[in-house]
Amino acid sequence: MKVYVCLKQVPDTESKIKVAADGKSIDSTGIKWILCPYDEFAVEESIRFKEKNPGATICAVSAGPDRVVDALRTALAMGCDEAIHIALPENADSYLTAKSLARAITKSGTPHLIFTGKQAIDDDAAQVHQAMAEFLSLPAVTVVLKAEYSATSVKLDREIEGGAIEKYEVATPCVIAAQKGMNEPRYASLPNIMKAKKKEIKKVTLAELDLTDTDTKVSYSAMQLPAERGACKMISGDVAAQAKELVRLLHEEAKVI
Amino acid sequence: MYWAIKPFFVFAAIAGSFSYFIFRSKILLNTLTSLPTKADRSDHIPSRIKSVFVDVLGQRRVLKKKAPGIAHTMIFWGFIIITIGTVEMMVDGIFRGVNLSLLGEAIYGRYLLVADIMTLAVLSGVCFGFFRRLVLKPAYLKTGVDALTVLAFTAGLMLALFGMNSFRVAADPGSTLNQYFFVSGFLGNIIHQSGLSPDLAFVGSEVFYWLHLLLVLGFLMYIPRSKHLHILAAGPNIFFRQLGTSKAMIKTDLEDENATSFGLGKISDLSWKGALDLYACTECGRCQEACPASLTGKPLSPSNLVHDFRTELFAHQAAILAKKTEELPNVVRADSGVTEDVIWACTSCRACEEVCPVHIEQTTLIFESRKNLVLMQSSFPAEMQTVFRNLENNFTPWAFGSDTRADWCRDLEVKQMADHPTAEVLYYVGCAGSFDDRAKKVATAIVKLLKKANVDFAILGKEEKCNGDPARRAGNEYLAQMLIKENVETLNKYKPRKILTGCPHCFNTLKNEYTAFGAQYDVVHHTTFLSELIEQGKLKPAVGADKEVTFHDSCYLGRWNDVYQSPRDILKAIPELNVTEMPRNKNKGLCCGAGGARMFMEEKIGTRININRTEEALATGAKTIAAACPFCSTMLTDGVKAKEQQANVQVKDVAEILAESIT
């Protein structure tokens, strides 16, 4: 029984993002790359699944430049059994990413489950898991908080607006995209970190998947940083004057009312 | 008839009990030598011998606690002197007439006088011991059967000795030796005057001879399995002790391909020195009395910790001797005395090690156990996962981007080593000084003072990383070594002549622990450096805002590195500033509660350590609580707020107080 967990390497949340000289990508110097936190929930969930289903093999898959190998090592250290690195250029779009993941998974063996995070914290697109499910003709449930597994189906709790829960039962194989709160990811033990360093990471090229790096639907035309947040403005005077001034500022300066 | 058979019986008793004693001691020794973990303590032999003189014969640390210390010293010295006589009576029992009287009356008589007085001294010491355990009952002292048995044996021995000597005096009232018996002579005269015949008195003396002999031999057999084992192990333990005040945590070889486990998991992971520590403890409770965790209702008592480790060691002695240790359980587990809560409660303040009369290294047990929990079992307080992640990704325990590390001094015109690699002093700011809003002000004050004194300094800026202390003390040796190695590489690139740190934790790690990783530099804490600048006349303090000040000692400055005077010298150099010491100061100072990575963990059990310390500081009436560590400052500031005294009392770093006194 093969279980996949798809993951993305993203800049650390504390990294200062700078736009590169070309104006349409980010300057990666000085960026600390981490395993996307949502994907970490997915990795943890896949390992917990394996703990209850010892016959399962967990395969971590990531598409991206060579640096993503580090994210795959993190997943291996947490407890994944094998890993596939699909060589993809920086800035590949969600379409190509999803398609390459789908083809690599098909090539590697029929999935029983595919886990991934509900979105990547860098571009926040939240597209890849759904597109990938589409390419694989599998059902996909996203923003999942809880899963109960049986032999042929999974019962899922999905978080929707206002904290309400939708309940699903989905036939396997299926794609499950994890939301924060699904579990508490473990911290890898030293022996597992050491073992992960020695595990082979299988590299797959786009050509092997009958794809090229021009098989994209989206390209970036420009990137810009948000305007720097101004200093906090204190309004003084009596309550009536304060309210009046606040309304004036919201209307004239912030232009929100 | 009696004289014909006595030697056989004496010999048989001695041979039997000594065989048992040697058999037992051999097991203890073999257990030590069967432990695979290495510990090298063969250096500085003269210092070690000196320590034995001071700490064993001189009873230096024992005497730091007045009454029990004097009682112990009387018993200790009494026993040594009396043992000469005990050996004499054993030899005399086998070879009649072979005794110290052969040395002549002048020498023998003097010995008898001293021994007789010492018997009284030991008895008095033991009486005090009973009184303390049965009447005074201090909270830190556990009184079990073992403790009372040891006291009873000792008392019995002394009483038997008096009995034997008194009846000897009564049996031979004319002997010239009688004049040397100070106590026994007095008692002997009473017996003699009561009209007891010399023959019967002789029988009495032989009865007491046997009583004394059997008690000695019984005690001998009892010792190896009791806490009184310390009379054998304390001396060696002091000889093999951690020399000096400063110490480094054990560097675990994480690249060892053959290692199946790291840190202290099973009891068999102890080093021989760790086991000797356990043998040497006699559960005097001094450590528990000083321990901030014990004082605030945490499950950790250093004394219990050692006791529980020893129980575990004795329980698995056979497996260790047979070298079949694969199946042994971990020491830290829910049903042993050593639970995870015990291990995580320690602030690593070393108050226990400071007071231990036999130099037991309790923090080694804690640190090594934490390593095993983290590295092998990924088991640690949940809060630490975020800290580890921050350290991994941004090289600081707090969630700040590593490239913002130098932002605190953007407007201060501080040079960076990359631009000024020849700077005389490398100011290693530390994570608190770089990222924590309160500590940034301290860093700013230090910069102001350095500039005022025209010190040629530079910081590492983005190249600086956490020194490794929080990860290391929290058991994450892997992460700590990663940080240390990266910092060592940076330091060795610049080879600074002097490293100035703004935090005692950076100071301690850089000074004492980086050597093992290939970086040996002259490291100085800011209080020492600033006090030198004052001494050299480069800084001239004037009257400042703070008048009534109390100083809180940082553990990593004081007990870890013996820096007590520098911060006080700075405060004394400021005119009109008056320092009131807290009752617990210098090496007796109470920890703020933040050491040993406790800074980053919740304090869920018992009362809060920082409140305990803050109350003591507030009681001095000082309006300013001075500290020399960003963690202490945070803990004490929280304490002052909790006591709702923030309007009256301020917590400041010594550097800030000094900076405000210089215009």
Side-chain angles (χ1 to χ4, degrees):
Chain A
M1 185 166 35
K2 199 124 184 187
V3 173
Y4 293 88
V5 51
C6 300
L7 43 97
K8 184 174 186 182
Q9 194 186 37
V10 295
D12 176 71
T13 45
E14 304 304 331
S15 290
K16 245 192 206 163
I17 303 299
K18 292 184 285 275
V19 177
D22 67 359
K24 36 187 187 178
S25 59
I26 62 164
D27 179 359
S28 60
T29 52
I31 285 186
K32 175 79 189 177
W33 297 93
I34 61 164
L35 169 59
C36 173
Y38 290 113
D39 295 336
E40 224 177 301
F41 298 121
V43 173
E44 177 64 32
E45 192 63 19
S46 72
I47 299 163
R48 291 190 187 187
F49 176 81
K50 189 190 159 153
E51 282 167 354
K52 291 195 179 128
N53 300 274
T57 307
I58 315 283
C59 178
V61 195
S62 186
D66 284 342
R67 57 170 166 77
V68 308
V69 166
D70 290 338
L72 288 169
R73 295 261 179 238
T74 307
L76 290 171
M78 285 173 75
C80 293
D81 301 297
E82 44 193 63
I84 299 173
H85 165 216
I86 306 166
L88 222 61
E90 294 271 4
N91 278 354
D93 70 348
S94 300
Y95 175 84
L96 181 59
T97 308
K99 194 138 209 173
S100 65
L101 286 170
R103 288 197 180 173
I105 287 172
T106 308
K107 240 181 130 179
S108 169
T110 314
H112 174 71
L113 291 168
I114 302 174
F115 291 99
T116 184
K118 68 159 182 152
Q119 70 194 72
I121 60 159
D122 50 359
D123 59 18
D124 280 332
Q127 289 181 330
V128 168
H129 46 79
Q130 299 176 70
M132 174 180 67
E134 196 60 30
F135 294 135
L136 290 164
S137 301
L138 295 180
V141 180
T142 70
V143 204
V144 173
L145 278 175
K146 199 176 140 197
E148 280 173 52
Y149 308 94
S150 61
T152 54
S153 71
V154 191
K155 282 183 185 160
L156 298 158
D157 281 8
R158 170 172 192 274
E159 190 181 62
I160 55 168
E161 288 286 306
I165 301 290
E166 283 182 347
K167 289 190 176 281
Y168 286 85
E169 182 160 9
V170 188
T172 54
C174 63
V175 176
I176 299 169
Q179 162 71 319
K180 180 181 181 173
M182 193 175 192
N183 50 47
E184 280 297 326
R186 70 196 57 199
Y187 194 77
S189 71
L190 185 58
N192 287 349
I193 293 172
M194 294 303 179
K195 271 183 235 155
K197 280 186 182 169
K198 287 180 191 154
K199 278 187 189 164
E200 186 207 4
I201 293 177
K202 200 178 159 198
K203 190 169 178 174
V204 178
T205 61
L206 278 181
E208 289 170 73
L209 301 173
D210 288 327
L211 291 164
T212 69
D213 53 15
T214 53
D215 288 331
T216 52
K217 302 284 183 194
V218 177
S219 63
Y220 291 91
S221 53
M223 263 191 199
Q224 65 183 58
L225 291 170
E228 228 172 275
R229 199 165 42 167
C232 180
K233 196 174 271 182
M234 300 300 286
I235 305 171
S236 54
D238 63 40
V239 180
Q242 280 184 34
K244 207 171 168 187
E245 177 65 3
L246 178 65
V247 171
R248 190 190 68 79
L249 286 171
L250 289 173
H251 183 67
E252 290 173 16
E253 285 193 20
K255 294 189 170 68
V256 289
I257 53 171
Chain B
M1 175 67 186
Y2 174 69
W3 294 120
I5 59 167
K6 183 184 171 186
F8 292 102
F9 281 101
V10 172
F11 179 77
I14 292 172
S17 55
F18 265 85
S19 304
Y20 179 81
F21 171 76
I22 290 166
F23 165 72
R24 278 278 159 216
S25 305
K26 195 87 189 358
I27 290 178
L28 291 169
L29 189 63
N30 288 349
T31 309
L32 280 193
T33 51
S34 300
L35 292 165
T37 309
K38 291 186 187 79
D40 184 17
R41 293 291 166 87
S42 57
D43 56 338
H44 298 96
I45 301 296
S47 307
R48 296 188 179 283
I49 293 170
K50 188 182 155 207
S51 183
V52 170
F53 272 93
V54 175
D55 285 306
V56 182
L57 304 181
Q59 301 272 293
R60 184 179 59 119
R61 285 187 166 188
V62 175
L63 282 165
K64 292 224 163 133
K65 216 168 164 58
K66 282 257 159 55
I70 292 168
H72 184 275
T73 306
M74 291 199 301
I75 298 172
F76 170 79
W77 272 105
F79 242 93
I80 287 188
I81 288 161
I82 292 163
T83 299
I84 300 170
T86 307
V87 173
E88 180 211 20
M89 64 178 272
M90 286 179 186
V91 174
D92 184 70
I94 300 168
F95 308 104
R96 194 175 173 212
V98 180
N99 56 39
L100 293 177
S101 66
L102 300 174
L103 296 172
E105 193 183 314
I107 297 175
Y108 189 47
R110 279 191 192 119
Y111 170 73
L112 290 180
L113 173 67
V114 173
D116 200 52
I117 291 169
M118 285 323 253
T119 311
L120 186 64
V122 173
L123 200 56
S124 323
V126 170
C127 286
F128 178 76
F130 273 120
F131 176 70
R132 183 159 162 262
R133 282 174 186 274
L134 300 175
V135 183
L136 295 178
K137 291 186 187 171
Y140 58 82
L141 199 61
K142 283 182 295 289
T143 295
V145 178
D146 199 11
L148 294 176
T149 307
V150 170
L151 283 178
F153 259 122
T154 318
L157 280 170
M158 296 308 114
L159 292 174
L161 200 56
F162 275 143
M164 181 179 84
N165 289 335
S166 310
F167 277 96
R168 277 193 183 168
V169 169
D172 189 2
S175 167
T176 50
L177 287 172
N178 290 354
Q179 56 175 312
Y180 299 107
F181 287 113
F182 179 68
V183 182
S184 309
F186 174 73
L187 295 173
N189 276 335
I190 294 174
I191 297 167
H192 176 62
Q193 278 155 22
S194 72
L196 192 75
S197 74
D199 284 350
L200 274 178
F202 171 74
V203 172
S205 80
E206 280 304 294
V207 167
F208 278 109
Y209 171 91
W210 277 100
L211 184 63
H212 185 251
L213 182 70
L214 294 176
L215 278 172
V216 166
L217 299 176
F219 203 13
L220 192 70
M221 287 159 61
Y222 180 77
I223 285 167
R225 293 302 296 237
S226 87
K227 74 189 188 73
H228 212 52
L229 175 59
H230 88 287
I231 67 165
L232 299 178
N237 205 52
I238 287 168
F239 180 81
F240 290 117
R241 80 183 177 95
Q242 169 76 44
L243 288 172
T245 309
S246 305
K247 73 167 187 177
M249 268 180 68
I250 294 168
K251 181 185 175 187
T252 306
D253 182 4
L254 301 174
E255 268 124 53
D256 181 1
E257 299 273 342
N258 301 318
T260 51
S261 176
F262 299 104
L264 203 171
K266 301 164 182 171
I267 193 69
S268 53
D269 295 333
L270 270 179
S271 72
W272 62 267
K273 177 59 181 60
L276 189 59
D277 271 347
L278 307 183
Y279 291 176
C281 178
T282 188
E283 296 167 25
C284 72
R286 283 168 170 80
C287 51
Q288 185 178 321
E289 192 188 17
C291 173
S294 305
L295 287 172
T296 54
K298 315 281 188 286
L300 167 66
S301 144
S303 166
N304 288 350
L305 182 83
V306 171
H307 175 88
D308 292 336
F309 265 87
R310 184 169 56 198
T311 306
E312 188 78 3
L313 180 68
F314 286 163
H316 300 298
Q317 217 166 29
I320 293 168
L321 289 169
K323 298 203 194 302
K324 288 204 171 84
T325 54
E326 297 83 11
E327 304 294 317
L328 291 185
N330 282 330
V331 182
V332 182
R333 56 177 196 271
D335 69 341
S336 80
V338 192
T339 61
E340 293 198 22
D341 282 340
V342 167
I343 295 298
W344 292 110
C346 176
T347 66
S348 74
C349 75
R350 286 183 76 193
C352 51
E353 299 185 352
E354 178 75 32
V355 295
C356 181
V358 296
H359 290 270
I360 292 170
E361 292 153 50
Q362 291 91 342
T363 58
T364 304
L365 293 175
I366 298 275
F367 289 149
E368 294 305 299
S369 297
R370 285 184 181 182
K371 274 184 200 168
N372 189 269
L373 286 171
V374 174
L375 299 178
M376 301 307 294
Q377 306 172 52
S378 298
S379 184
F380 45 80
E383 313 85 88
M384 288 310 291
Q385 182 141 343
T386 320
V387 175
F388 291 157
R389 284 285 150 82
N390 291 336
L391 286 167
E392 281 165 20
N393 297 331
N394 288 301
F395 322 115
T396 162
W398 293 290
F400 291 99
S402 57
D403 47 4
T404 62
R405 190 175 267 270
D407 285 6
W408 67 276
C409 60
R410 229 174 347 201
D411 306 324
L412 293 178
E413 288 175 35
V414 174
K415 285 182 188 149
Q416 303 210 1
M417 288 300 278
D419 306 320
H420 183 42
T422 56
E424 270 171 43
V425 174
L426 190 171
Y427 173 27
Y428 191 95
V429 186
C431 300
S434 303
F435 297 114
D436 178 79
D437 281 339
R438 181 68 191 83
K440 279 188 215 171
K441 292 181 184 156
V442 180
T444 306
I446 293 173
V447 165
K448 181 190 158 189
L449 292 166
L450 294 178
K451 290 194 168 185
K452 188 86 193 170
N454 288 320
V455 176
D456 175 25
F457 74 100
I459 64 168
L460 283 169
K462 288 179 206 175
E463 287 186 279
E464 184 185 289
K465 290 174 175 167
C466 170
N467 69 77
D469 166 276
R472 212 166 194 213
R473 263 84 192 148
N476 200 335
E477 180 78 1
Y478 178 67
L479 177 55
Q481 289 197 8
M482 220 150 67
L483 292 165
I484 294 172
K485 282 174 187 167
E486 286 168 17
N487 277 325
V488 164
E489 201 175 309
T490 308
L491 292 176
N492 287 351
K493 183 171 77 180
Y494 294 119
K495 298 199 171 23
R497 275 164 280 173
K498 193 186 266 295
I499 301 174
L500 165 69
T501 73
C503 166
H505 296 265
C506 300
F507 170 63
N508 177 68
T509 318
L510 288 169
K511 175 172 160 277
N512 300 322
E513 305 197 346
Y514 274 41
T515 318
F517 294 87
Q520 190 160 21
Y521 293 100
D522 177 13
V523 187
V524 59
H525 181 257
H526 69 262
T527 53
T528 307
F529 191 72
L530 294 173
S531 74
E532 282 167 9
L533 291 178
I534 295 172
E535 204 177 311
Q536 292 159 6
K538 291 179 183 165
L539 289 176
K540 293 191 175 66
V543 178
D546 305 287
K547 300 284 190 286
E548 293 301 323
V549 180
T550 187
F551 177 71
H552 163 81
D553 285 282
S554 146
C555 306
Y556 274 80
L557 209 52
R559 274 186 294 264
W560 279 82
N561 288 296
D562 215 12
V563 179
Y564 296 111
Q565 211 42 54
S566 311
R568 290 179 168 83
D569 286 345
I570 295 177
L571 295 173
K572 271 185 207 142
I574 301 171
E576 292 177 28
L577 188 153
N578 178 38
V579 180
T580 311
E581 292 285 357
M582 286 183 253
R584 291 175 287 189
N585 63 62
K586 296 183 184 165
N587 64 347
K588 291 193 184 73
L590 184 77
C591 177
C592 70
R598 291 283 334 164
M599 175 73 193
F600 307 100
M601 299 177 213
E602 304 275 351
E603 196 174 340
K604 291 173 193 156
I605 310 171
T607 55
R608 296 186 64 91
I609 296 171
N610 65 331
I611 303 285
N612 188 313
R613 185 55 163 171
T614 306
E615 284 169 352
E616 188 178 357
L618 293 174
T620 63
K623 295 290 162 215
T624 307
I625 304 172
C629 168
F631 294 171
C632 297
S633 293
T634 303
M635 297 306 269
L636 294 169
T637 305
D638 287 352
V640 169
K641 277 186 201 150
K643 302 300 290 181
E644 296 178 345
Q645 288 298 314
Q646 63 267 42
N648 311 317
V649 176
Q650 280 184 298
V651 179
K652 285 184 184 174
D653 193 281
V654 173
E656 290 178 300
I657 297 174
L658 178 62
E660 285 168 19
S661 80
I662 289 173
T663 45

